Amino acid sequence: VSSAAMHFHHLIQINDPLDPRTEPLTREQLWQGLVVRAERPEVFLLGMDECRIFGRTGHSLDRQLRFGQLLIHDRVIFDPPQQVHYQVEPYAQVAGASLVMRIEEPQPGQLFLRFEYRLHTEGAGDAEVDEFRKSAWREADIDTVRMIRQLAASGLLSPEGPKAIDLH
């Protein structure tokens, strides 16, 4: 059985100086939003029943995510204030996966969020399934940015750090 890898990346513009309807985010707010997404993924990911953090160091989390009967174990590595790296442990038919969310700032205040996916699978990939996956990831990433904007607008991302989020 051969192993294959799928790579996918895309960029979402965070601040658009040409669009006055878009409230700009600071780099700090964007970073805090990424930290909240790692610590409280159930706020961001539809269908997630539970996230249990069972290990923590200064710059990483070990988590168990539950979606119905599916359990996913991953490690989240923080590289403040630049990027968050998710490393999914192999499970079922997946040999492993990773996601990097990286803040890019080509000019001061001009923020972008780059999402880089790597998925390792057994055997050859199915092009149709891969396209569906890419579309789902893109939509989830757009939702992530939307939620970070909502948290910032609600005052939950402040210079002192993210405030507690009540889900009820």
Side-chain angles (χ1 to χ4, degrees), residues 100-149:
V100 175
M101 296 180 185
R102 180 178 307 113
I103 298 172
E104 297 184 2
E105 191 172 12
Q107 296 177 6
Q110 191 179 56
L111 295 174
F112 293 85
L113 198 51
R114 180 174 300 277
F115 296 84
E116 294 181 26
Y117 291 87
R118 293 186 189 281
L119 180 65
H120 304 283
T121 57
E122 298 300 323
D126 178 327
E128 196 173 310
V129 170
D130 287 350
E131 285 309 308
F132 176 79
R133 231 181 231 128
K134 290 175 186 179
S135 176
W137 286 338
R138 192 178 295 110
E139 289 303 312
D141 298 339
I142 290 167
D143 286 345
T144 288
V145 171
R146 186 178 302 123
M147 180 56 71
I148 290 172
R149 287 190 182 287

Side-chain angles (χ1 to χ4, degrees), residues 31-106:
W31 173 252
Q32 288 178 18
L34 294 180
V35 170
V36 170
R37 187 190 182 283
E39 299 249 356
R40 301 292 304 276
E42 64 276 16
V43 174
F44 290 81
L45 300 173
L46 286 175
M48 177 179 292
D49 297 310
E50 178 185 32
C51 171
R52 196 169 64 80
I53 296 172
F54 59 89
R56 185 186 293 268
T57 69
H59 287 290
S60 72
L61 301 173
D62 290 312
R63 312 180 307 173
Q64 176 182 283
L65 313 175
R66 188 169 59 78
F67 298 85
Q69 297 300 309
L70 177 66
L71 292 178
I72 297 174
H73 294 268
D74 70 359
R75 168 166 284 165
V76 183
I77 301 163
F78 299 100
D79 182 10
Q82 189 68 35
Q83 69 180 21
V84 179
H85 182 187
Y86 295 82
Q87 189 67 46
V88 177
E89 292 180 19
Y91 66 96
Q93 274 69 51
V94 178
S98 71
L99 164 61
V100 175
M101 296 180 185
R102 180 178 307 113
I103 298 172
E104 297 184 2
E105 191 172 12

Side-chain angles (χ1 to χ4, degrees), residues 18-32:
L18 302 177
D19 184 357
R21 297 168 302 165
T22 304
E23 187 67 32
L25 294 177
T26 66
R27 183 186 189 99
E28 185 61 28
Q29 286 173 313
L30 185 55
W31 173 252
Q32 288 178 18

